[in-house]
Coordinates of all heavy atoms in Angstrom, one line a residue:
M1 N -1.0 -18.5 -38.1 CA -1.2 -17.7 -36.9 C -0.5 -18.3 -35.7 O -0.6 -19.5 -35.5 CB -2.7 -17.6 -36.6 CG -3.4 -16.7 -37.7 SD -3.1 -15.0 -37.5 CE -4.3 -14.5 -36.3
E2 N 0.1 -17.4 -34.9 CA 0.8 -17.9 -33.7 C -0.3 -17.9 -32.5 O -1.1 -17.0 -32.4 CB 2.0 -17.1 -33.3 CG 3.2 -17.4 -34.1 CD 4.4 -16.7 -33.6 OE1 4.5 -16.6 -32.4 OE2 5.3 -16.3 -34.4
D3 N -0.1 -18.8 -31.7 CA -1.0 -19.0 -30.6 C -0.3 -18.4 -29.3 O 0.6 -19.0 -28.8 CB -1.3 -20.5 -30.4 CG -2.5 -20.6 -29.4 OD1 -3.0 -19.6 -28.9 OD2 -2.8 -21.8 -29.1
N4 N -0.8 -17.3 -28.8 CA -0.2 -16.7 -27.6 C -1.0 -17.0 -26.4 O -0.9 -16.3 -25.4 CB -0.1 -15.2 -27.8 CG 1.0 -14.9 -28.9 OD1 2.0 -15.6 -28.9 ND2 0.8 -13.9 -29.6
D5 N -1.8 -18.0 -26.5 CA -2.7 -18.3 -25.3 C -1.9 -18.7 -24.1 O -2.5 -18.7 -23.0 CB -3.7 -19.4 -25.7 CG -4.9 -18.7 -26.5 OD1 -4.9 -17.5 -26.5 OD2 -5.7 -19.5 -27.0
D6 N -0.7 -19.0 -24.2 CA 0.0 -19.5 -23.0 C 0.5 -18.3 -22.1 O 1.1 -18.6 -21.1 CB 1.2 -20.4 -23.4 CG 2.2 -19.6 -24.3 OD1 1.8 -18.6 -24.9 OD2 3.3 -20.1 -24.5
I7 N 0.3 -17.1 -22.5 CA 0.5 -16.0 -21.6 C -0.5 -16.0 -20.5 O -1.7 -16.0 -20.8 CB 0.5 -14.7 -22.4 CG1 1.6 -14.7 -23.5 CG2 0.7 -13.5 -21.4 CD1 1.6 -13.5 -24.3
E8 N 0.0 -16.0 -19.3 CA -1.0 -16.1 -18.2 C -1.3 -14.7 -17.7 O -0.4 -13.9 -17.4 CB -0.4 -16.9 -17.1 CG -0.6 -18.4 -17.4 CD -0.2 -19.2 -16.1 OE1 -0.3 -18.7 -15.0 OE2 0.3 -20.3 -16.3
F9 N -2.5 -14.4 -17.7 CA -3.0 -13.1 -17.1 C -3.6 -13.4 -15.7 O -4.3 -14.3 -15.5 CB -4.0 -12.4 -17.9 CG -3.5 -11.8 -19.2 CD1 -3.6 -12.5 -20.4 CD2 -2.8 -10.6 -19.2 CE1 -3.1 -12.0 -21.6 CE2 -2.3 -10.1 -20.4 CZ -2.4 -10.8 -21.5
K10 N -3.2 -12.6 -14.8 CA -3.8 -12.6 -13.5 C -5.1 -11.7 -13.6 O -4.9 -10.5 -13.7 CB -2.9 -12.2 -12.4 CG -2.1 -13.3 -11.8 CD -1.5 -12.8 -10.5 CE -0.7 -14.0 -9.8 NZ -0.1 -13.6 -8.6
D11 N -6.2 -12.3 -13.5 CA -7.4 -11.5 -13.5 C -7.5 -10.6 -12.3 O -7.4 -11.0 -11.2 CB -8.6 -12.5 -13.5 CG -9.1 -12.8 -14.9 OD1 -8.5 -12.3 -15.9 OD2 -10.0 -13.7 -15.0
V12 N -7.6 -9.3 -12.7 CA -7.8 -8.3 -11.6 C -9.3 -8.2 -11.5 O -10.0 -7.6 -12.3 CB -7.2 -7.0 -12.0 CG1 -7.4 -6.0 -10.9 CG2 -5.7 -7.2 -12.3
Q13 N -9.8 -8.8 -10.5 CA -11.3 -8.8 -10.3 C -11.7 -7.6 -9.5 O -11.1 -7.2 -8.6 CB -11.7 -10.1 -9.6 CG -11.5 -11.3 -10.4 CD -12.0 -12.6 -9.7 OE1 -12.3 -12.5 -8.5 NE2 -12.2 -13.6 -10.4
E14 N -12.7 -7.0 -10.0 CA -13.3 -5.9 -9.3 C -14.1 -6.4 -8.1 O -15.0 -7.2 -8.2 CB -14.2 -5.0 -10.2 CG -13.4 -3.9 -10.8 CD -14.4 -2.8 -11.2 OE1 -15.3 -2.4 -10.4 OE2 -14.2 -2.2 -12.3
S15 N -13.7 -5.9 -7.0 CA -14.4 -6.3 -5.8 C -14.6 -5.0 -5.0 O -14.2 -3.9 -5.3 CB -13.6 -7.3 -4.9 OG -12.5 -6.6 -4.4
D16 N -15.3 -5.2 -3.9 CA -15.6 -4.0 -3.0 C -14.3 -3.4 -2.5 O -14.1 -2.3 -2.2 CB -16.5 -4.4 -1.9 CG -17.9 -4.6 -2.3 OD1 -18.2 -4.1 -3.4 OD2 -18.7 -5.2 -1.6
D17 N -13.3 -4.3 -2.4 CA -12.0 -3.9 -1.9 C -11.4 -2.8 -2.7 O -10.8 -1.9 -2.2 CB -11.0 -5.1 -2.0 CG -11.1 -6.0 -0.7 OD1 -12.0 -5.7 0.1 OD2 -10.3 -6.9 -0.6
D18 N -11.6 -2.9 -4.0 CA -11.0 -1.9 -4.9 C -11.6 -0.5 -4.9 O -11.0 0.4 -5.3 CB -11.0 -2.4 -6.4 CG -10.2 -3.8 -6.5 OD1 -9.1 -3.8 -5.8 OD2 -10.7 -4.7 -7.2
K19 N -12.8 -0.5 -4.3 CA -13.5 0.8 -4.2 C -13.3 1.4 -2.8 O -13.6 2.5 -2.6 CB -14.9 0.6 -4.5 CG -15.2 0.3 -6.0 CD -16.6 -0.4 -6.1 CE -16.6 -1.0 -7.5 NZ -17.7 -2.0 -7.5
N20 N -12.8 0.5 -2.0 CA -12.6 1.0 -0.6 C -11.1 1.5 -0.4 O -10.4 0.9 0.4 CB -12.8 -0.2 0.3 CG -14.1 -0.1 1.1 OD1 -14.5 1.1 1.4 ND2 -14.7 -1.2 1.5
L21 N -10.8 2.5 -1.1 CA -9.4 3.0 -1.0 C -9.2 3.8 0.3 O -10.0 4.7 0.7 CB -9.0 3.9 -2.2 CG -9.0 3.1 -3.5 CD1 -8.6 4.0 -4.6 CD2 -8.0 1.9 -3.5
I22 N -8.1 3.5 1.0 CA -7.8 4.2 2.2 C -6.3 4.7 2.0 O -5.5 4.1 1.3 CB -7.9 3.3 3.4 CG1 -7.3 2.0 3.2 CG2 -9.3 3.2 3.9 CD1 -7.2 1.1 4.4
Q23 N -6.0 5.7 2.7 CA -4.7 6.3 2.6 C -3.8 5.6 3.6 O -4.1 5.5 4.8 CB -4.7 7.8 2.9 CG -5.4 8.6 1.9 CD -5.3 10.0 2.1 OE1 -5.4 10.5 3.2 NE2 -5.1 10.8 1.0
V24 N -2.7 5.0 3.1 CA -1.8 4.3 4.0 C -0.4 4.8 3.8 O 0.0 5.4 2.8 CB -1.8 2.7 3.7 CG1 -3.2 2.2 3.9 CG2 -1.3 2.4 2.3
C25 N 0.5 4.5 4.8 CA 1.9 4.9 4.8 C 2.6 4.1 3.7 O 2.4 2.9 3.5 CB 2.5 4.5 6.1 SG 4.2 4.7 6.2
P26 N 3.4 4.8 2.8 CA 4.1 4.2 1.8 C 5.3 3.3 2.3 O 5.8 2.5 1.5 CB 4.7 5.3 0.9 CG 4.8 6.5 1.8 CD 3.6 6.3 2.8
V27 N 5.7 3.5 3.5 CA 6.8 2.7 4.1 C 6.3 1.4 4.7 O 6.8 0.3 4.4 CB 7.5 3.5 5.1 CG1 8.6 2.7 5.8 CG2 8.1 4.8 4.5
C28 N 5.3 1.5 5.5 CA 4.9 0.3 6.3 C 3.4 -0.1 6.0 O 3.0 -1.2 6.5 CB 5.1 0.6 7.8 SG 3.9 1.7 8.5
G29 N 2.7 0.7 5.3 CA 1.3 0.2 4.9 C 0.3 0.5 6.0 O -0.8 0.0 5.9
S30 N 0.7 1.2 7.0 CA -0.2 1.4 8.1 C -1.2 2.5 7.8 O -0.9 3.5 7.2 CB 0.5 1.8 9.4 OG -0.4 2.3 10.4
P31 N -2.5 2.3 8.1 CA -3.5 3.4 7.9 C -3.5 4.4 9.0 O -4.3 5.3 9.0 CB -4.8 2.6 7.8 CG -4.6 1.4 8.7 CD -3.1 1.1 8.6
D32 N -2.6 4.1 10.0 CA -2.6 4.9 11.2 C -1.8 6.2 10.9 O -0.8 6.4 11.5 CB -2.0 4.1 12.3 CG -2.7 4.4 13.6 OD1 -3.6 5.2 13.6 OD2 -2.3 3.7 14.6
L33 N -2.4 7.1 10.1 CA -1.7 8.3 9.7 C -2.4 9.5 10.3 O -3.6 9.4 10.5 CB -1.7 8.5 8.2 CG -1.0 7.4 7.4 CD1 -1.4 7.5 5.9 CD2 0.5 7.4 7.5
Y34 N -1.7 10.5 10.6 CA -2.4 11.7 10.9 C -1.8 12.9 10.0 O -0.6 12.9 9.7 CB -2.5 12.1 12.4 CG -1.1 12.2 13.0 CD1 -0.6 13.5 13.3 CD2 -0.4 11.1 13.5 CE1 0.6 13.6 14.0 CE2 0.8 11.2 14.1 CZ 1.3 12.5 14.4 OH 2.5 12.6 15.0
Y35 N -2.7 13.8 9.6 CA -2.3 14.8 8.7 C -2.1 16.1 9.5 O -2.9 16.6 10.2 CB -3.4 15.0 7.6 CG -3.0 15.9 6.5 CD1 -2.0 15.6 5.6 CD2 -3.6 17.2 6.4 CE1 -1.7 16.4 4.5 CE2 -3.2 18.1 5.4 CZ -2.3 17.6 4.4 OH -1.9 18.5 3.4
E36 N -0.9 16.7 9.3 CA -0.6 17.9 9.9 C -0.7 19.1 8.9 O 0.1 19.1 8.0 CB 0.8 17.9 10.5 CG 1.1 18.9 11.6 CD 2.3 18.6 12.4 OE1 2.3 17.7 13.3 OE2 3.4 19.2 12.0
A37 N -1.6 19.9 9.1 CA -2.0 20.9 8.1 C -1.2 22.2 8.2 O -1.2 23.1 7.4 CB -3.4 21.2 8.1
G38 N -0.5 22.3 9.3 CA 0.3 23.6 9.6 C 1.4 23.8 8.6 O 1.8 22.9 7.9
G39 N 1.9 25.0 8.6 CA 3.1 25.3 7.7 C 2.7 25.6 6.3 O 1.5 25.8 6.0
V40 N 3.7 25.5 5.4 CA 3.5 25.8 4.0 C 2.6 24.8 3.4 O 1.6 25.0 2.7 CB 4.8 25.9 3.2 CG1 4.6 26.3 1.8 CG2 5.7 27.0 3.9
E41 N 2.9 23.5 3.6 CA 2.1 22.4 3.1 C 2.0 21.3 4.2 O 2.9 21.2 5.0 CB 2.7 21.8 1.8 CG 4.2 21.6 1.9 CD 4.7 21.2 0.5 OE1 4.6 21.9 -0.4 OE2 5.3 20.1 0.5
G42 N 0.9 20.6 4.1 CA 0.7 19.6 5.2 C 1.6 18.4 5.0 O 2.1 18.1 3.9
L43 N 1.8 17.7 6.1 CA 2.6 16.5 6.0 C 1.9 15.4 6.7 O 1.2 15.6 7.7 CB 3.9 16.7 6.7 CG 5.0 17.6 6.0 CD1 6.2 17.8 6.9 CD2 5.4 17.0 4.7
Y44 N 2.1 14.2 6.2 CA 1.5 13.0 6.8 C 2.5 12.4 7.8 O 3.7 12.4 7.5 CB 1.1 12.0 5.8 CG 0.0 12.4 4.9 CD1 0.3 12.9 3.7 CD2 -1.3 12.1 5.3 CE1 -0.8 13.3 2.8 CE2 -2.4 12.5 4.4 CZ -2.1 13.1 3.2 OH -3.1 13.5 2.4
H45 N 2.0 12.1 9.0 CA 2.9 11.4 9.9 C 2.3 10.0 10.1 O 1.1 9.8 10.3 CB 2.8 12.1 11.3 CG 3.4 13.5 11.3 ND1 4.3 13.9 12.2 CD2 3.2 14.5 10.4 CE1 4.6 15.2 12.0 NE2 3.9 15.6 10.9
C46 N 3.2 9.0 10.1 CA 2.8 7.6 10.4 C 3.1 7.3 11.9 O 4.2 7.4 12.3 CB 3.5 6.7 9.5 SG 3.2 5.0 9.9
K47 N 2.0 6.9 12.5 CA 2.2 6.6 14.0 C 3.0 5.3 14.1 O 3.6 5.0 15.1 CB 0.9 6.4 14.7 CG 0.1 7.7 14.8 CD -1.2 7.5 15.5 CE -2.1 8.7 15.5 NZ -3.4 8.4 16.0
Y48 N 2.9 4.4 13.1 CA 3.5 3.1 13.2 C 5.0 3.1 13.0 O 5.7 2.5 13.8 CB 2.8 2.2 12.2 CG 3.1 0.7 12.4 CD1 2.5 0.0 13.4 CD2 4.0 0.1 11.5 CE1 2.8 -1.4 13.6 CE2 4.3 -1.3 11.7 CZ 3.7 -2.0 12.7 OH 4.0 -3.3 12.9
C49 N 5.5 3.7 11.9 CA 6.9 3.6 11.7 C 7.6 4.9 11.8 O 8.8 5.0 11.7 CB 7.2 3.0 10.3 SG 6.8 4.1 8.9
G50 N 6.9 6.0 12.0 CA 7.5 7.3 12.1 C 7.7 8.1 10.8 O 8.3 9.1 10.8
Y51 N 7.2 7.5 9.7 CA 7.3 8.2 8.4 C 6.7 9.6 8.5 O 5.6 9.8 9.0 CB 6.7 7.3 7.4 CG 6.4 8.1 6.0 CD1 7.4 8.2 5.1 CD2 5.2 8.6 5.7 CE1 7.2 8.9 3.9 CE2 4.9 9.3 4.5 CZ 6.0 9.4 3.6 OH 5.8 10.0 2.4
I52 N 7.4 10.6 7.9 CA 6.9 11.9 7.7 C 7.1 12.3 6.3 O 8.2 12.3 5.8 CB 7.5 12.9 8.7 CG1 7.3 12.5 10.1 CG2 7.0 14.3 8.4 CD1 8.1 13.4 11.1
G53 N 6.0 12.7 5.6 CA 6.1 13.1 4.2 C 4.8 13.5 3.6 O 3.8 13.4 4.2
G54 N 4.9 14.1 2.5 CA 3.7 14.6 1.8 C 3.0 13.6 0.9 O 2.0 13.8 0.3
F55 N 3.6 12.4 0.9 CA 3.1 11.3 0.0 C 2.6 10.2 0.7 O 3.2 9.6 1.6 CB 4.3 10.9 -0.9 CG 4.0 9.7 -1.8 CD1 3.2 9.8 -2.9 CD2 4.5 8.5 -1.5 CE1 2.9 8.7 -3.7 CE2 4.2 7.4 -2.3 CZ 3.4 7.5 -3.4
V56 N 1.3 9.8 0.4 CA 0.8 8.5 0.9 C 0.2 7.7 -0.2 O 0.0 8.3 -1.3 CB -0.3 8.8 2.0 CG1 0.3 9.4 3.3 CG2 -1.4 9.7 1.5
I57 N -0.1 6.5 0.0 CA -0.6 5.6 -1.0 C -2.1 5.4 -0.8 O -2.6 5.2 0.3 CB 0.1 4.3 -1.0 CG1 1.6 4.5 -1.4 CG2 -0.6 3.3 -1.9 CD1 2.4 3.2 -1.4
D58 N -2.9 5.5 -1.9 CA -4.3 5.2 -1.8 C -4.4 3.7 -2.1 O -4.2 3.2 -3.2 CB -5.1 5.9 -2.9 CG -5.3 7.4 -2.5 OD1 -5.5 7.6 -1.3 OD2 -5.2 8.2 -3.4
A59 N -4.6 2.9 -1.1 CA -4.6 1.5 -1.2 C -5.9 0.8 -0.8 O -6.6 1.4 0.0 CB -3.4 0.9 -0.4
N60 N -6.2 -0.3 -1.4 CA -7.3 -1.1 -0.9 C -6.7 -2.1 0.2 O -5.5 -2.2 0.3 CB -8.0 -1.9 -2.0 CG -7.1 -2.8 -2.8 OD1 -6.2 -3.5 -2.1 ND2 -7.2 -2.9 -4.1
P61 N -7.5 -2.7 0.9 CA -7.1 -3.5 2.0 C -6.0 -4.6 1.6 O -5.1 -4.9 2.4 CB -8.3 -4.2 2.5 CG -9.4 -3.2 2.2 CD -9.0 -2.6 0.9
R62 N -6.1 -5.1 0.4 CA -5.2 -6.1 -0.1 C -3.8 -5.5 -0.3 O -2.8 -6.0 0.1 CB -5.7 -6.7 -1.4 CG -5.2 -8.1 -1.6 CD -5.8 -8.7 -2.9 NE -7.2 -8.7 -2.8 CZ -8.0 -8.5 -3.9 NH1 -7.4 -8.4 -5.1 NH2 -9.3 -8.5 -3.8
M63 N -3.8 -4.3 -0.9 CA -2.5 -3.6 -1.2 C -1.9 -3.2 0.2 O -0.6 -3.3 0.4 CB -2.7 -2.3 -2.0 CG -2.9 -2.6 -3.5 SD -3.6 -1.1 -4.3 CE -2.2 0.0 -4.0
M64 N -2.7 -2.8 1.1 CA -2.3 -2.4 2.4 C -1.5 -3.6 3.1 O -0.5 -3.4 3.7 CB -3.5 -2.0 3.2 CG -3.1 -1.4 4.5 SD -4.6 -1.0 5.4 CE -4.7 -2.3 6.6
K65 N -2.1 -4.8 2.9 CA -1.5 -5.9 3.6 C -0.2 -6.3 2.9 O 0.8 -6.7 3.6 CB -2.5 -7.1 3.5 CG -2.1 -8.3 4.3 CD -3.1 -9.4 4.2 CE -2.6 -10.6 5.1 NZ -1.3 -11.1 4.8
L66 N -0.1 -6.1 1.6 CA 1.1 -6.4 0.9 C 2.2 -5.5 1.3 O 3.4 -6.0 1.6 CB 0.9 -6.2 -0.6 CG 0.2 -7.4 -1.4 CD1 0.0 -7.0 -2.8 CD2 1.1 -8.6 -1.3
I67 N 2.0 -4.2 1.4 CA 3.0 -3.3 1.9 C 3.4 -3.6 3.3 O 4.6 -3.6 3.7 CB 2.5 -1.8 1.8 CG1 2.1 -1.5 0.4 CG2 3.5 -0.9 2.3 CD1 1.3 -0.2 0.2
R68 N 2.4 -3.9 4.1 CA 2.7 -4.3 5.5 C 3.6 -5.5 5.6 O 4.6 -5.6 6.4 CB 1.4 -4.4 6.3 CG 1.6 -4.9 7.7 CD 2.2 -3.9 8.6 NE 1.4 -2.8 8.9 CZ 0.5 -2.7 9.9 NH1 0.3 -3.7 10.7 NH2 -0.2 -1.6 10.0
D69 N 3.2 -6.5 4.8 CA 4.0 -7.8 4.9 C 5.4 -7.5 4.4 O 6.4 -8.1 5.0 CB 3.4 -8.8 3.9 CG 2.1 -9.4 4.5 OD1 1.8 -9.2 5.7 OD2 1.4 -10.1 3.8
E70 N 5.6 -6.7 3.4 CA 6.9 -6.4 2.9 C 7.7 -5.7 4.0 O 8.9 -6.0 4.2 CB 6.8 -5.4 1.7 CG 8.1 -5.0 1.1 CD 8.4 -5.8 -0.1 OE1 7.7 -6.8 -0.4 OE2 9.4 -5.5 -0.8
Y71 N 7.1 -4.7 4.7 CA 7.7 -4.0 5.7 C 8.1 -4.9 6.9 O 9.2 -4.8 7.4 CB 6.8 -2.9 6.2 CG 7.4 -2.1 7.3 CD1 8.3 -1.1 7.1 CD2 7.0 -2.3 8.6 CE1 8.9 -0.3 8.1 CE2 7.5 -1.5 9.7 CZ 8.4 -0.6 9.4 OH 9.0 0.2 10.4
E72 N 7.2 -5.8 7.2 CA 7.5 -6.7 8.4 C 8.6 -7.6 8.0 O 9.5 -7.9 8.9 CB 6.2 -7.5 8.7 CG 5.0 -6.7 9.0 CD 5.0 -6.3 10.5 OE1 5.5 -7.1 11.3 OE2 4.4 -5.2 10.9
S73 N 8.7 -8.1 6.8 CA 9.8 -9.0 6.5 C 11.1 -8.4 6.4 O 12.1 -8.9 6.8 CB 9.5 -9.7 5.1 OG 9.5 -8.8 4.1
K74 N 11.1 -7.1 6.0 CA 12.4 -6.3 6.0 C 12.8 -6.1 7.4 O 14.0 -6.2 7.7 CB 12.2 -5.0 5.2 CG 12.4 -5.1 3.7 CD 12.2 -3.8 3.1 CE 11.9 -3.9 1.6 NZ 11.3 -2.7 1.0
A75 N 11.9 -5.7 8.2 CA 12.2 -5.4 9.6 C 12.8 -6.7 10.3 O 13.7 -6.6 11.1 CB 11.0 -5.0 10.4
R76 N 12.3 -7.8 9.9 CA 12.7 -9.1 10.5 C 14.2 -9.4 10.1 O 15.0 -9.8 10.9 CB 11.8 -10.2 10.1 CG 11.5 -11.2 11.2 CD 10.4 -12.1 10.9 NE 9.1 -11.4 10.9 CZ 8.1 -11.7 10.1 NH1 8.2 -12.6 9.1 NH2 6.9 -11.1 10.1
I77 N 14.5 -9.1 8.8 CA 15.8 -9.4 8.3 C 16.9 -8.5 9.0 O 18.0 -9.0 9.3 CB 15.9 -9.2 6.7 CG1 15.1 -10.3 6.1 CG2 17.3 -9.1 6.2 CD1 14.8 -10.0 4.6
S78 N 16.5 -7.2 9.2 CA 17.5 -6.3 9.7 C 17.7 -6.5 11.2 O 18.6 -5.8 11.8 CB 17.1 -4.9 9.4 OG 15.9 -4.6 10.1
E79 N 17.0 -7.4 11.8 CA 17.1 -7.6 13.3 C 18.4 -8.4 13.6 O 18.7 -9.3 12.8 CB 15.9 -8.2 13.8 CG 15.0 -7.2 14.5 CD 13.7 -7.8 15.0 OE1 13.7 -9.1 15.3 OE2 12.7 -7.1 15.1
Ligands
ZN1 ZN1 4.5 3.9 8.4

């Protein structure tokens, strides 16, 4: 028998964070969205980065921070 125990799994622990899903911007991770219901279909507007679209991410606070960090680091590089 081969021993595959050396594969490392990152335990995804269930915490309150994972049940606390909030809608955040897919570009910058900001929860500062407002939904515009007018027209054929509603669109989300992000107050932080100006994103407009029908797609947002259901994220827990940890995911939100990851997206935000990613966005911030990209913004820093392009400066
Ligand atoms: Zn945004």
Side-chain angles (χ1 to χ4, degrees):
M1 291 287 275
E2 280 189 36
D3 189 2
N4 289 325
D5 277 353
D6 57 343
I7 298 173
E8 280 186 32
F9 288 101
K10 270 195 176 178
D11 269 355
V12 181
Q13 291 182 347
E14 267 204 41
S15 67
D16 286 345
D17 275 6
D18 298 320
K19 292 159 196 160
N20 251 332
L21 295 180
I22 45 173
Q23 295 188 316
V24 302
C25 172
V27 177
C28 71
S30 169
D32 219 357
L33 303 164
Y34 58 101
Y35 188 73
E36 201 168 278
V40 181
E41 46 187 60
L43 290 175
Y44 293 93
H45 296 226
C46 174
K47 291 181 190 174
Y48 189 78
C49 73
Y51 166 80
I52 298 174
F55 172 74
V56 291
I57 293 179
D58 287 319
N60 62 38
R62 206 176 306 146
M63 284 167 64
M64 188 182 102
K65 191 179 180 305
L66 281 174
I67 300 169
R68 174 67 70 87
D69 284 351
E70 180 97 356
Y71 178 77
E72 300 274 330
S73 64
K74 277 179 194 161
R76 220 167 288 145
I77 288 166
S78 66
E79 259 176 27

